Each structure stands twice: as structure tokens, then as C-alpha cells.
Amino acid sequence: MFSSTTISSLSLLAAASKVVAQQPQWKSTGPGTFQEIGKSGVSAQMLFLGTPNKVYIIDKIENNPIQVGGHPAWAAEYNLADNSLRAMDVVTNTFCAGGNILGDGTWINVGGNKAVTYGGISVNETTGNPYEGEDGRFAVRFLKPCDDATCEWTDNPKDYMTTERWYPTIETLEDGSAIVIGGNTLGGFVSATDNNNPTYEFWPRRGDGKPITLHILERTLPANLYPLTFLLPSGNLFVQTNWAAEIFDYKKGTESPLPDIPHAVRTYPGSAANTMLPLTPANNWTATVVFCGGTDLQPNQWRKTIVLNVPASASCVRMSPDISNEWEEDESLPEGRVMGNFILLPNGKIFLVNGVNQGVAGYGNDTWALGQSYATGPLYKPLMYDPDAPIGSRFTDQGLSASPIPRLYHSTATLLPDGSVFVTGSNPNADVDYNAPWPTEYRVERFYPAYYDERRPEPQGLPKQIGYGGNYFDIKLSSTDLGSDPTNSVINTKVVLMRTGFSTHAVNFGQRYLQLNSTYTLDGSGSATLHVSQVPPNPALFTPGPAWIFVVVNGIPSIGQPIMIGSGKIELQNIAAVVDLPGTYAPTTSGNNGNSGSSGNNGGGSTNQPSSASAVMNFGATFLAASLSLVALGMLAL
């Protein structure tokens, strides 16, 4: 099933040129605090981390203070090294577009709304076009991030879709391509039969490029925008929208309904915090998706209710769709929240920031709106969520300070390579408005988790590229990295891959955390060699493309380094047989009895078997079913 050539080539990927991790370069204001560090230049409706030093910010067409090409900019490059800005020109209106990263490292930004003038009014013959923007509903835009300030967005009509999409979802697939799902055609607070776009398509285009009906979007009006979609290890898509959920086999075009989500609408405008929990050897790389907050509005209430007065839901639920179709109750939030962002941290905890406890996402000119905002009651204090803790102790605000800045609709956040969190945005207004009850916000903050000021591990030998399966690679940790109790420290060490995602509307599309399988050899000096498997041989676990690699020792992460997963191309990815890891070894002088198997970071105690055996064998059933399906459909190269 696996060729020796494939195994050899992927081994070479892992053995390619190495990078060296360092210490944080930015001085914090203390653990658990927010620090204002700069201005975003454009309102941060969308953003993503593109390189170690650059965050890319995208807004809608509006009267932002920075200019490009003689008109207000609605995109910018933020330099993390000195908090400076570079205005970027985007031709079309990116208002409520979707985005994600492709397998070749290109960021894709899809859809948007009509061109607008002052106050968000659609451009027509009488209004003129002072902002010089164009209709973005068909647009497909691309950016290859750079550190030399030369990269620009491309926005070419030859790449456009054949159908309008406002509020679409973009999910990257196993070959590094993307599926584009849903949205609507004409704008509006929520969808209706006359503007609903219940279809999907692919980029790059497949077949004739025509959109294909996705039936769940026909029956989930009106709150079916930005459908929450996750690629599962099985290769299927989990789709949740309004009150409905399903498993979507996009290869066969079949939809399998799941039970309705309990308690609340989680999709926009309900806008619950959501993420896939960390995929680890201990949980057999099983995908579990969690949703917290939202609103309990029923389909017939969205247009008849003063939504500003509706309290946010505090409920949390989760599901592991590849192994169960039952919803599980999770610990409730301390208070209801809409528009919160879940940010995965390298230590496996999840940071919850932004949002309100009353109303929903969106804005308009309704008489009952607060200014134009459909929400109020900002939540200034964040929460930390431990998904593995017992229910009753998963959420805490202990040691966390409040931000002084309200973050309502169009707020965003992303993890940074040093493990801090970049937080900005908030603009529940049709155009820039400094005098609104909740004004347009440009201030940028960093949040510093408890580990930020700790001395960071400085692993040596981090690869720049790894593949799926194949030989393991080695990482060196010094005695300084492991401290006074090296045996316990190396047992509590893990190597993780992370994607920080495309942040917009309380979703970080494409955000993912995968712990690699590892063992270790500890020597008498207190230093260690980690033996680390490449990505398990299933691209659906962690799709190809750029990511970040962290080594976490006793909950303290190294500085994240860029790493390419897979071939670096949008193509069928090679997979290889997993080479067994060496057994764990620690000298008896370090308090260990010599050769023993699995490192504690892989979810088991010491055994006499290499840790790769149990984890990979348990994973085998899921992977075999998925890979055979992919092979049969020509989606995976063996």
C-alpha cells in the first residue's frame, strides 16, 4: 500500500533545513493582562496571521483614516515588530467575505457585498462612488504573505465565481483546495428565500464550476449565514447552521442529518464561540467540536423581535461526529455570550475573548437599535477554558484582567507565534462613526497568557516541512529547557502543530491544533532528544499548507516557528507508512528504570511498546476507512 519511495521522500522533508526557536521579543504588562500596542488603520472585520511578523487585516468599504491610491483603505498589513501599518489596496467590497488558507500558502478571500458610498448606501447613478470600490459579491481574492512589504491582494475578474456570496464559509480540504459554502446574494440582516444562496462550489474550480445545491441551507432560513463547517478525520464535513446539523460527504454529495443543536442558534447572527478541540494521541486524534453561547431565537422571531433586548445564551455543547451523533452537554459559561472568539493556545487551553451578553450580531437603522448596533452589554473580562478538566471547573477567569475596550460586532482575534493573542476590531456601524454609542474601534491589544513571561524552551532541530506518515524526526531539548526535574519535564513535553485561522464574525475558520506522537531519550546531563512522528497519514486530520510548530514543556510553549505541512502545493498528498518511534529511555540516575515505552505526553504511562504502536493502531480503523474512500474517489495518492 505504501511505497519505499514515498517513505524516503517524506523522511527527507522532515530532515530538511532546521530553524531555532528563541524567547519573546515583546515585553508584557504581566500574566493575564491586555496591553494596547497600536492602531489597526482599518476596522478589523477580518484578520489572519500571515508570517511571524505580519497580521493582515481586512474591513468593508468605509471611510477608514488611512488612504491608499487616493481613497480610504479597507485592508492593511500590521507589522508585529514595531506596530507599524502598510495600507493595502483591495479593488472590491470585502464586506462580510469568507476566507481561509490554501495548501500552497495562499490566503483566499471570497465574496462580499455591493459597492457602497457614505453611510454604507449602495452606489448608484445618483450617489457617485467616492470610496472607489467595486461590487465584491462574485470576487475571489488572493494574497501570498510576505515580510518585505511587497505582497498585494490580487482581485481579478477571471477568478470570480458565477454566483454572489455574502457571508460564505470557506473550508480547506485534504488536497489543499477549498470548498465555498452558502452565503446570500443581496445582503440583509438574515437570509430569505429571495436572497438565499444554498449552494457550494470549489476553489480551484472543479468540473464545470457551477454551484451545487446544499439542501441543509434550503431548510435553515433565516439564520444560515457563515455555516459552521469543519473537515473531520473521516474526510466528511460537519456542518452546523441555525438549529440544524449534518454530516456532508462532499465527495459523494450526500447529506446525513444529525439531531438539532440544543439550546441556541450558534451561527451568525447568533454567533457563538466555536472551535474544534485539540487533536491528540491521547484522544486518538478524534475530532470534537464545541459551541458556547449564541441566542435562542426561533426562525419566525428574527424579524419580529427587538433582538437588542434578547439575552445571550450561556449554554455550551459539544459533539464528536465521527464516533457519535449525540450532543453532549458541556459546562455552561458564567454568563451568556454572543460574538465571543475561542482562540486555541499552544498549551491546549482555549482563550475566550470579545462579545456581549445581550442582543445579537449585526446592525441596522431600526428605531430600537442602540445607534445602529443590535447588541449591547460588552463583556470586558475574558475566560480560560480547559476542555479536559471535569465539568464544573472548565471555565475560569482567575488571574485574568479585563480589557478596557468594548469588543462588539466585527471584533477579531488570533494567536501570535510568541503565544500572546492579538485582539482588535469592533464596529457595529454602517460606516466609520466615532460618536456612535459603540464607535468604530481601531485600538489593537495583546493579551498575555500566564506562560508568556516564563523562560521558553529553545528546541533545536525543528523541521521546516513535514509530511503524512514516514520516518520520525528528532528535536533536542537542553538541560536548561527541562529544568531541575528533567524526567518529569520531558514526560510533560509535547510537540504541536497549529493553524491560527481566518478570524471573522466569532469564527477562526481553519483554526486547528494537532499534537504529534512522540517519545524521548533522556541523557545523564538532563538534556533530551524528542523522537517525533510526522503528521498521521491522513490529510483530513491537518490539511496541507503552512502552519506553526510549538514544543510545549510543562505547559510553557516555545516560540512558534513556521512549518509547511505536505507538499506545499494544491494537489493530492502523498502518504507513507508510519515508522515506529523508538521506545522512551531515561537513565536510572534520573529516577527512571531504563527503557520504557510511551512518553506521558502521549496519553499513557510507561509501557514496553513504542508509543506510536497503540496510538496509530487505534487510529487505524478511522484512517483506513477514510483513506479507502479517498482512494476510490481519486482524492489521495498512495
Side-chain angles (χ1 to χ4, degrees):
M1 183 176 180
F2 303 93
S3 70
S4 59
T5 302
T6 299
I7 296 173
S8 175
S9 64
L10 287 178
S11 299
L12 289 173
L13 287 180
S17 58
K18 308 294 198 285
V19 293
V20 178
Q22 300 295 327
Q23 299 298 314
Q25 301 301 298
W26 193 263
K27 182 175 176 56
S28 83
T29 49
T33 64
F34 289 87
Q35 180 186 23
E36 185 181 337
I37 58 171
K39 299 291 179 63
S40 60
V42 302
S43 184
Q45 182 183 122
M46 297 162 264
L47 64 77
F48 58 89
L49 174 66
T51 77
N53 284 313
K54 300 295 175 67
V55 171
Y56 293 90
I57 301 171
I58 312 168
D59 190 15
K60 65 183 187 290
I61 293 177
E62 60 182 328
N63 196 24
N64 286 306
I66 63 172
Q67 298 269 316
V68 63
H71 61 82
W74 54 93
E77 178 188 79
Y78 190 99
N79 190 329
L80 295 168
D82 60 9
N83 299 305
S84 62
L85 287 172
R86 175 170 70 98
M88 303 183 77
D89 204 1
V90 181
V91 176
T92 53
N93 191 357
T94 48
F95 185 18
C96 296
N100 216 317
I101 192 168
L102 303 175
D104 64 354
T106 302
W107 286 85
I108 184 172
N109 183 250
V110 178
N113 203 5
K114 295 178 180 180
V116 298
T117 181
Y118 303 116
I121 298 170
S122 295
V123 167
N124 57 48
E125 293 179 357
T126 60
T127 63
N129 190 6
Y131 296 154
E132 301 181 15
E134 298 179 13
D135 192 333
R137 292 174 296 163
F138 296 88
V140 182
R141 313 166 193 89
F142 303 99
L143 180 73
K144 270 287 186 74
C146 64
D147 272 322
D148 60 4
T150 60
C151 48
E152 298 288 350
W153 284 97
T154 61
D155 191 338
N156 192 323
K158 72 179 179 61
D159 298 319
Y160 284 9
M161 300 174 290
T162 59
T163 182
E164 305 100 320
R165 295 191 188 275
W166 195 39
Y167 295 92
T169 288
I170 320 298
E171 180 74 350
T172 310
L173 302 174
E174 299 97 313
D175 63 353
S177 66
I179 187 169
V180 181
I181 302 175
N184 67 24
T185 62
L186 299 173
F189 172 45
V190 288
S191 288
T193 54
D194 62 346
N195 69 356
N196 190 29
N197 189 345
T199 68
Y200 65 95
E201 56 191 288
F202 298 94
W203 185 267
R205 298 184 185 94
R206 297 186 183 182
D208 61 10
K210 293 181 179 179
I212 306 164
T213 299
L214 187 64
H215 297 287
I216 190 174
L217 299 179
E218 294 180 315
R219 63 177 187 270
T220 51
L221 292 171
N224 68 350
L225 300 175
Y226 283 135
L228 301 172
T229 304
F230 300 86
L231 179 66
L232 300 172
S234 62
N236 294 323
L237 294 170
F238 171 77
V239 181
Q240 197 286 307
T241 181
N242 206 339
W243 292 92
E246 72 173 22
I247 299 296
F248 174 42
D249 184 338
Y250 73 90
K251 305 171 196 76
K252 296 180 180 178
T254 58
E255 302 176 57
S256 302
L258 295 168
D260 284 356
I261 196 166
H263 309 307
V265 174
R266 317 291 177 165
T267 43
Y268 170 86
S271 297
N274 62 92
T275 190
M276 183 180 288
L277 299 183
L279 299 159
T280 71
N283 63 32
N284 201 27
W285 297 290
T286 300
T288 299
V289 185
V290 64
F291 304 85
C292 286
T295 183
D296 65 358
L297 286 168
Q298 297 299 316
N300 63 352
Q301 293 180 305
W302 285 98
R303 293 183 179 86
K304 300 177 181 179
T305 303
I306 299 177
V307 295
L308 179 70
N309 296 335
V310 176
S313 173
S315 66
C316 292
V317 295
R318 57 167 78 179
M319 180 185 278
S320 303
D322 276 341
I323 61 174
S324 172
N325 64 0
E326 297 298 323
W327 291 101
E328 299 176 38
E329 296 288 341
D330 205 336
E331 180 177 327
S332 294
L333 298 167
E335 54 191 329
R337 189 180 295 243
V338 166
M339 297 180 282
N341 284 87
F342 266 148
I343 304 298
L344 296 169
L345 301 180
N347 62 2
K349 304 294 194 301
I350 303 175
F351 179 59
L352 177 57
V353 67
N354 300 338
V356 302
N357 64 13
Q358 186 174 314
V360 299
Y363 61 75
N365 293 316
D366 306 80
T367 57
W368 46 260
L370 186 58
Q372 291 184 310
S373 177
Y374 288 173
T376 191
L379 296 169
Y380 297 92
K381 197 166 189 180
L383 294 169
M384 199 66 72
Y385 172 59
D386 183 346
D388 296 322
I391 287 184
S393 57
R394 288 179 177 170
F395 284 104
T396 183
D397 63 3
Q398 293 291 314
L400 305 181
S401 299
S403 166
I405 302 173
R407 303 287 187 187
L408 292 87
Y409 188 45
H410 290 162
S411 298
T412 43
T414 186
L415 179 73
L416 298 181
D418 63 7
S420 65
V421 180
F422 186 96
V423 183
T424 189
S426 188
N427 186 26
N429 305 291
D431 204 338
V432 173
D433 190 339
Y434 302 119
N435 299 310
W438 302 119
T440 306
E441 183 59 68
Y442 295 102
R443 287 175 288 179
V444 175
E445 296 172 291
R446 280 184 188 245
F447 171 81
Y448 301 104
Y451 55 66
Y452 186 85
D453 288 332
E454 301 292 335
R455 190 224 177 247
R456 303 302 186 88
E458 295 187 348
Q460 306 297 303
L462 294 175
K464 287 189 174 181
Q465 187 170 18
I466 59 174
Y468 299 97
N471 204 359
Y472 57 88
F473 57 94
D474 288 342
I475 297 173
K476 303 289 187 180
L477 291 173
S478 69
S479 57
T480 305
D481 294 327
L482 296 175
S484 60
D485 187 352
T487 301
N488 186 64
S489 292
V490 76
I491 287 173
N492 289 292
T493 294
K494 56 188 176 183
V495 181
V496 300
L497 302 176
M498 298 190 72
R499 275 216 182 96
T500 55
F502 181 96
S503 181
T504 190
H505 290 77
V507 189
N508 281 54
F509 290 100
Q511 180 176 227
R512 194 161 290 208
Y513 178 118
L514 184 139
Q515 180 184 339
L516 298 174
N517 209 20
S518 64
T519 58
Y520 62 84
T521 298
L522 185 66
D523 66 27
S525 70
S527 61
T529 300
L530 303 178
H531 314 294
V532 187
S533 293
Q534 299 187 65
V535 182
N538 178 4
L541 273 174
F542 203 98
T543 56
W548 302 89
I549 185 169
F550 295 84
V551 177
V552 184
V553 181
N554 292 323
I556 301 170
S558 63
I559 302 298
Q561 299 293 339
I563 185 170
M564 178 62 74
I565 309 302
S567 67
K569 299 178 181 179
I570 301 173
E571 63 180 8
L572 306 180
Q573 299 296 305
N574 287 322
I575 61 171
V578 176
V579 175
D580 281 346
L581 293 171
T584 287
Y585 174 81
T588 54
T589 55
S590 295
N592 194 293
N593 62 359
N595 280 312
S596 61
S598 166
S599 165
N601 62 42
N602 293 320
S606 295
T607 71
N608 292 320
Q609 299 296 325
S611 65
S612 60
S614 59
V616 173
M617 287 176 67
N618 289 337
F619 176 69
T622 300
F623 164 66
L624 182 59
S627 60
L628 289 175
S629 173
L630 291 169
V631 170
L633 290 154
M635 287 295 296
L636 193 62
L638 296 180

